[in-house]
Amino acid sequence: MPFLNWLPKINGRDLRADFIAGLTGAVVVLPQGVAFATIAGMPPQYGLYAGMIPAIIAALFGSSRHLVSGPTTAASVVLFSALSIHAIPGSPDYVTLALTLTFMVGVFELVLGLARMGALVNFISHAVVVGFTAGAAILIAAKQLKYFFGVDMDNGGNLTELLFRFTQHLDGINAYAVLIAVVTLLSGIATKRWLKRVPYMVVAILVGSLLSVGLNAWLGTDITHIATVGALPDSFPPLSAPVLTLENIKMLAPAALAVTLFALTEAVSIGRAMAARGGYNINGNQEFIGQGLSNLAGSFFSGYVSTGSFNRTGVNYESGAKTPMAAVFAGLLLIFVVVLVAPYAAYLPKAAMAGVLFLVAWGLIDWHEIREIISFSKRETVVLAVTFFSALFLDLEFAIFLGVMLSLVLYLEKVSKPRILTRTPDKNLPNHAFSTDPDLPQCQQLRFVGVEGSLFFGSVNHMEETFGKIRVEHPQQKHLAVICEGINFADLQGSHALYKEAKQRQADGGNLYLINVKEGLWDALEACECFDKEGSRNVFQSKSAAIHAIYQKLDKSLCEGCTTHLFKECSGTVATHAKS
């Protein structure tokens, strides 16, 4: 219970700052909550409910000072994608499934947190997050075409289906709805650009709503046909309950797991970013627990899936929040603000909401990160592209799984091929330091190689193939010295592979030597008893000691005709033979 640590330390000054930040956050979440609920296919008030009790619980049980939880774009899009195929969006059955999914997500998050699996989010690469978010952003805009242009069409399905369906309804475009949407969009852009301290979503919705009221008063609703959100219930969040039937659990489990992974990634990433700016650390496991408890509580207080909100967290930080009490205030104040403003939602046109969501969608596409990923790595670019197009044309939860799996596959493919480079003493470097220059002369009996990567079951085959190739192409180099600075650990299979190579070398009249062995590798070799007392004599902790010892085992008759003189010991042997 982290709040037991920080709550007694709050002073009056911090409490005032947190109250102001909380009030600001409560005002900002009003248009966002309604917008996110629209994206999720939920009745508008549920977006506001998701920002009340869940925000309070997450603040009390999380470890971040500034993270604010609630409904988010990504979670809303995934929720809609997962549930719209099972029930009609906005219907009682749909709401029940959403609450059940929220409960299951809370259970998953809580279990992962209690099991100390906070590092799990590290397996979701940044390219997956950027690609998924960009794909979701385009889907958000596409699903709002219905309201932006005032046409009567189904806004379900993937991007291709949405665009095709829209082209079939071009003759039904409502010019008044388009006007409201465009004015809302432009006012939001102008506010965001020139009045940065003012919540642009609030201004945009007010402008769009006032324009709608003016058009209806001037021309009449029979002519404008401007659809509105409708009045919201002016009450506290009602009690609710998930329906945990076996059929529902089986049906929603894949979606719940996908939402859990992405929600936790979003929350922990935002929490880490704010902690870096605030000069403190967060506990990933505790954030898992806080998010899990918030969704469990939310499912009983009419809140659908909530997670860390970047917009609300940013507003909270910029508003001067000092402790998690700011998020608690935001949730409490939102309850009372909703009661006051709920009746006025009847004047909120859906076209204005669509204009705001176009702005939200554009802001989700991180062009800077996309360019950076494309220029940095082909592997990451592939992950980005696959996740992006999967989000557009496949199920969103499947896009997350596909991106994560592809990231892991590419990572494993990379680490399964550790770099094995020939190392040679370079006379032009201080102390004849080792170099990887392929043009440098080699000792005709001894080869040095550096292995950069750990030895485990996935990389053993690559190492064995490389060592075998060296034996075939350079049979006279019967002695092989492995510089182990880059080997952090080895498993049983990796240890056996080194032992096997040593025995093969010994059978050919040479041997295998290990230099600069790290503790992880040495512990593995000892555990499998691959190197006995005699074998341990071939393990060295410095290159000079290794060269001096290995040199004594070389065939001196072959050294007589050698003019390379790579090692200091070579000159002494030549002089001795010349004297005799």
Side-chain angles (χ1 to χ4, degrees):
M1 299 183 181
F3 62 89
L4 295 179
N5 294 324
W6 55 262
L7 195 56
K9 301 176 183 177
I10 294 180
N11 54 42
R13 185 177 179 181
D14 289 343
L15 204 61
R16 284 191 296 272
D18 289 340
F19 182 83
I20 294 173
L23 180 60
T24 305
V27 173
V28 168
V29 80
L30 281 172
Q32 285 186 343
V34 174
F36 295 152
T38 304
I39 294 172
M42 298 285 286
Q45 64 269 24
Y46 281 84
L48 300 175
Y49 296 155
M52 296 177 182
I53 303 301
I56 296 172
I57 299 298
L60 292 174
F61 289 91
S63 64
S64 173
R65 300 177 194 170
H66 299 99
L67 183 67
V68 181
S69 291
T72 65
T73 309
S76 300
V77 174
V78 176
L79 184 81
F80 179 85
S81 176
L83 300 184
S84 58
I85 59 176
H86 301 298
I88 299 173
S91 66
D93 289 341
Y94 186 92
V95 172
T96 299
L97 288 179
L99 295 174
T100 305
L101 180 68
T102 302
F103 180 87
M104 293 174 65
V105 169
V107 171
F108 283 154
E109 292 176 331
L110 183 60
V111 169
L112 290 173
L114 294 175
R116 302 295 178 188
M117 297 294 286
L120 186 64
V121 295
N122 295 332
F123 290 100
I124 303 181
S125 72
H126 187 57
V128 172
V129 175
V130 173
F132 173 84
T133 306
I138 294 176
L139 272 181
I140 289 169
K143 290 180 182 295
Q144 294 305 309
L145 291 174
K146 170 181 180 178
Y147 304 111
F148 195 97
F149 292 93
V151 297
D152 184 16
M153 58 173 270
D154 179 16
N155 63 346
N158 59 38
L159 180 64
T160 305
E161 295 170 341
L162 284 167
L163 295 179
F164 177 73
R165 205 175 294 129
F166 177 67
T167 58
Q168 294 179 315
H169 292 80
L170 293 177
D171 55 344
I173 291 177
N174 184 339
Y176 301 105
V178 175
L179 177 62
I180 291 171
V182 170
V183 170
T184 302
L185 180 64
L186 294 177
S187 61
I189 293 173
T191 304
K192 192 174 182 180
R193 181 171 182 179
W194 289 300
L195 301 173
K196 296 182 179 181
R197 292 185 175 273
V198 180
Y200 73 92
M201 292 180 70
V202 174
V203 173
I205 287 180
L206 285 176
V207 171
S209 300
L210 290 175
L211 178 58
S212 174
V213 171
L215 288 174
N216 285 333
W218 180 32
L219 301 173
T221 55
D222 294 337
I223 295 178
T224 60
H225 297 289
I226 299 171
T228 61
V229 171
L232 300 176
D234 55 348
S235 62
F236 295 149
L239 295 177
S240 58
V243 179
L244 297 171
T245 63
L246 186 61
E247 180 184 358
N248 282 349
I249 294 173
K250 184 177 179 181
M251 179 175 62
L252 298 177
L257 184 58
V259 174
T260 298
L261 290 176
F262 200 84
L264 289 176
T265 301
E266 197 170 15
V268 174
S269 298
I270 296 169
R272 286 175 177 169
M274 289 298 107
R277 294 182 64 181
Y280 60 93
N281 295 317
I282 67 167
N283 185 318
N285 294 316
Q286 190 64 48
E287 285 303 323
F288 277 31
I289 293 171
Q291 294 297 316
L293 291 175
S294 72
N295 279 306
L296 286 175
S299 66
F300 292 99
F301 287 92
S302 300
Y304 73 91
V305 176
S306 70
T307 183
S309 168
F310 183 79
N311 289 334
R312 294 181 66 195
T313 301
V315 169
N316 190 46
Y317 183 87
E318 295 296 333
S319 300
K322 302 298 182 183
T323 73
M325 198 65 201
V328 175
F329 279 134
L332 291 173
L333 291 171
L334 179 61
I335 296 175
F336 296 99
V337 170
V338 166
V339 173
L340 296 175
V341 304
Y344 299 101
Y347 301 101
L348 179 59
K350 292 184 178 180
M353 292 302 306
V356 168
L357 290 175
F358 267 46
L359 273 175
V360 171
W362 178 260
L364 284 174
I365 303 176
D366 197 329
W367 299 104
H368 173 73
E369 291 292 341
I370 291 174
R371 286 192 297 269
E372 193 171 66
I373 289 172
I374 292 174
S375 62
F376 176 74
S377 169
K378 290 183 179 179
R379 292 172 182 267
E380 293 294 302
T381 302
V382 170
V383 173
L384 172 71
V386 168
T387 309
F388 173 74
F389 288 110
S390 298
L392 290 181
F393 302 111
L394 302 174
D395 292 337
L396 281 173
E397 62 268 27
F398 180 72
I400 296 174
F401 286 132
L402 189 61
V404 171
M405 291 304 297
L406 183 59
S407 297
L408 291 176
V409 167
L410 291 177
Y411 170 74
L412 289 174
E413 190 273 336
K414 183 177 181 179
V415 298
S416 68
K417 296 179 179 178
R419 296 180 65 194
I420 302 178
L421 303 173
T422 297
R423 309 288 293 273
T424 310
D426 189 345
K427 296 180 180 180
N428 297 320
L429 296 177
N431 298 321
H432 289 194
F434 278 80
S435 171
T436 57
D437 186 350
D439 296 328
L440 290 174
Q442 293 281 327
C443 174
Q444 59 182 332
Q445 300 184 64
L446 170 63
R447 173 175 287 260
F448 286 87
V449 296
V451 179
E452 298 178 4
S454 296
L455 304 182
F456 67 108
F457 63 91
S459 64
V460 164
N461 185 63
H462 175 71
M463 184 187 72
E464 289 180 335
E465 288 181 352
T466 304
F467 285 175
K469 185 178 179 181
I470 292 174
R471 284 198 307 272
V472 171
E473 295 180 353
H474 308 280
Q476 74 282 5
Q477 291 181 317
K478 301 182 184 299
H479 299 270
L480 179 67
V482 180
I483 301 173
C484 303
E485 294 170 333
I487 304 177
N488 291 317
F489 75 93
D491 64 3
L492 181 62
Q493 202 167 338
S495 302
H496 280 166
L498 289 176
Y499 177 74
K500 180 181 175 183
E501 180 66 22
K503 290 301 181 183
Q504 181 65 51
R505 291 276 171 181
Q506 291 168 10
D508 294 340
N511 216 324
L512 177 73
Y513 311 93
L514 305 181
I515 305 173
N516 289 347
V517 176
K518 289 186 175 180
E519 184 177 357
L521 174 57
W522 181 246
D523 289 344
L525 295 175
E526 280 193 325
C528 72
E529 299 181 353
C530 294
F531 279 62
D532 53 18
K533 291 183 178 180
E534 182 179 348
S536 64
R537 298 173 185 171
N538 295 329
V539 178
F540 306 94
Q541 290 305 103
S542 72
K543 296 172 188 175
S544 58
I547 292 173
H548 182 77
I550 297 171
Y551 184 79
Q552 311 305 322
K553 302 178 182 181
L554 299 182
D555 187 343
K556 300 304 183 292
S557 63
L558 295 177
C559 293
E560 291 184 30
C562 178
T563 59
T564 305
H565 299 172
L566 287 179
F567 314 119
K568 296 178 181 178
E569 289 80 0
C570 294
S571 58
T573 301
V574 173
T576 300
H577 282 287
K579 183 176 181 180
S580 60

